[in-house]
Amino acid sequence: MTRFLSWPLLIALFSWAEPSLAADSAPEKVSGLVLYNQLKINAATQQLQIESNDENSDSQYYLAEIIRKKIRYMAPEAQHWYEKAAQKDNIYAMIQLGRHKNDFCQKIGNCPPFKKTQAEWFAQAKGLVLPKAQEGDPESLYLMYEITLNREWLEKSANAGYSLAQYWMAVSERQGEGFFLIPGKRDASVKKWLLLSSEGGYPKAMMDYLEILHREGDTASIRQWLELAARSGYQVAVSSYGAYISHTPDKLDYPLDLVKGYALFTLLKDLGDAGGIGRYVERKAEEIREKMTPAQIEDSERIAKEWKTTHPPLSFFPDKLGY
C-alpha cells in the first residue's frame, strides 16, 4: 500500500519566529512576495520594507502580515502598513483591518488610533467588491465571502471556477458543512471540488486530492497529479516527487531518475530551514547522493538550473488572508 511522505507540523504549526540571518539570506535579487511565500521571514521583511517604501500596496500588505503574525496582535506598525495598503484600495488589507479585534492591545495599553472602525473598513471593502461580484467575477465573489462569511458567496465563487474557493468548499464540506441526505454524497462532493480546484492549478488541492486517489488505489493518477503539483513549485509536492522519482522510497512506480530527484532536493536546500524542513532535506538528499555517480551529480546541477528557470519559485503557499 502506498504511503505518502509526511511533513509533520509543516504548515499547521508554522512558526513566525525569527530564524537566523545566515539561514535566511537572499543573495540574489528576489521579490518580497517570493521570499514571503518561501517563509524566509527576515529576508522577506527587508525586501518588503524596500518595496513598501516605494508605495507598492501588495508589499505593504504582506509586510503588515509579517509584523502582525510575529507579534500576534495588531501592533501600530502593522496597522500603519495595512492602512497604507487600504488607502490604495487593497481589499485584503481592508478585510484584515475589519477583522481586527483590539482586546489584547487594550490589555497591554498599546492600541493605536484607527482611521476607521472595523465596520467602516468592511463597508468600504464591500463597496468596492460587490459590483464586480454582481458581474460574476470569481475572485470578487470569493472576497464577498471573506467580508461577510456568508457561505453562499463561497459556493458562487466556486461555481464560477475560482480554484481557491473550490478548495475551501471541499475543506468546509469535509468538516461537516453543507447538507447531504444520501450516504456517500458528501465524500463525492469533496472529491469533485478538490478535482476542480486541482484542474484550476491550486497545488494544495492537488495534494489533498492525492489522498483520495491513494484510498482508491489509483497509482497512475497519483503519479500524474504529484508531478503537476511539483511543477507548481509547492514545496511539499517538490520534495515528495523528488523522493519518489529517485526511489527514496520507491512506492509509486516512477521510472528511476536519480539525477532529477537529486536536482530537486538541491533546489530545496535553498530554502534552508524555512518551515522546519532543513534536516529532512539534507538527510533525503544524502540518501539519493549515495546512489549516484560523480557524473550524475554533476548533471543534476544542470537539471536544477533548468528547473529553476522554467518553473515557478518554490513556495509553501501560505494563505493570503492569514489569521
Side-chain angles (χ1 to χ4, degrees), residues 113-163:
F114 283 82
K115 295 183 181 297
K116 297 182 180 182
T117 66
Q118 291 172 272
E120 288 172 336
W121 281 120
F122 273 134
Q124 183 175 345
K126 185 175 180 180
L128 292 170
V129 171
L130 184 57
K132 294 180 181 179
Q134 291 172 332
E135 294 174 358
D137 177 68
E139 183 180 10
S140 296
L141 289 165
Y142 175 75
L143 288 172
M144 282 300 299
Y145 163 70
E146 292 286 3
I147 292 167
T148 65
L149 298 182
N150 183 335
R151 193 169 179 271
E152 291 182 4
W153 288 111
L154 179 65
E155 188 166 3
K156 288 179 180 179
S157 177
N159 285 325
Y162 196 51
S163 61

Side-chain angles (χ1 to χ4, degrees), residues 37-48:
N37 286 335
Q38 293 180 342
L39 309 188
K40 295 181 177 180
I41 303 306
N42 278 329
T45 301
Q46 295 169 14
Q47 184 59 33
L48 288 169

